[in-house]
Amino acid sequence: LATLIYAVDLGRPAEAVGLIVAALGEELVFRLAAILLAGAVTAAILGRDWRHPRRWGTTPGLVGLGAAALVFTALPGHVAQITGATTSVSFASLGLVLGYTVLRTGAVWPAVMVHALVNLTTIAAWDHQGLAGFRLGIAAAALLALVAAADLAGRRLGLRVRVPTVI
């Protein structure tokens, strides 16, 4: 729906599709490959089973997420948009949230969809002055929903379990 609205409202359907393809590429590289590579190397260094992310433990997962978020933030297109510490933190935190969902669920498609939605609303907000609040609301709602769904999916898949409150 966001792609259709973007294509019709701004009159740039090829760009709308291009933003989705770009989000897919970034998710495959920075939320799948980078996390797996950095996490597997860390797990191997720690003497853990590096072949299965489920058996890595916390440290390799955190190293993988952090490394992927740093590389994602350092992309030339992102660096051009960074005006200070707060904007760099926004890119890194987006990378962490999207990476967390992929690592916990094993599914890259939800992260691709949210990333594409954030890209579409960001560029639409730039083209239409005064839509910054709308963009922020859409991005916040999409990211919160993604994290909540990833947490639930991780528990159902056995990748994340509840910690008992009474011991």
Side-chain angles (χ1 to χ4, degrees):
L1 182 59
T3 307
L4 180 63
I5 292 170
Y6 183 97
V8 171
D9 187 44
L10 298 179
R12 301 188 304 241
E15 184 176 297
V17 173
L19 287 170
I20 294 170
V21 171
L24 172 63
E26 286 183 11
E27 293 309 307
L28 289 173
V29 171
F30 299 106
R31 250 60 75 201
L32 195 59
I35 292 172
L36 289 176
L37 178 64
V41 167
T42 305
I45 290 170
L46 295 174
R48 298 181 185 162
D49 184 0
W50 59 272
R51 291 176 184 90
H52 303 284
R54 183 181 263 181
R55 298 183 194 141
W56 285 353
T58 303
T59 302
L62 290 175
V63 169
L65 286 172
L70 285 174
V71 173
F72 176 71
T73 304
L75 284 174
H78 296 163
V79 170
Q81 298 173 53
I82 293 174
T83 58
T86 56
T87 52
S88 65
V89 168
S90 67
F91 283 107
S93 61
L94 176 64
L96 288 172
V97 168
L98 295 174
Y100 170 80
T101 60
V102 172
L103 190 60
R104 284 295 170 222
T105 64
V108 73
W109 289 111
V112 170
M113 291 170 33
V114 168
H115 191 161
L117 179 64
V118 168
N119 287 349
L120 289 164
T121 56
T122 298
I123 293 176
W126 285 345
D127 280 10
H128 296 336
Q129 300 299 326
L131 290 181
F134 174 73
R135 175 199 142 331
L136 181 62
I138 293 288
L143 291 168
L144 286 171
L146 184 67
V147 169
D151 188 53
L152 178 63
R155 274 193 235 123
R156 286 186 178 169
L157 292 169
L159 301 175
R160 183 172 162 85
V161 296
R162 284 190 187 270
V163 176
T165 55
V166 178
I167 298 178

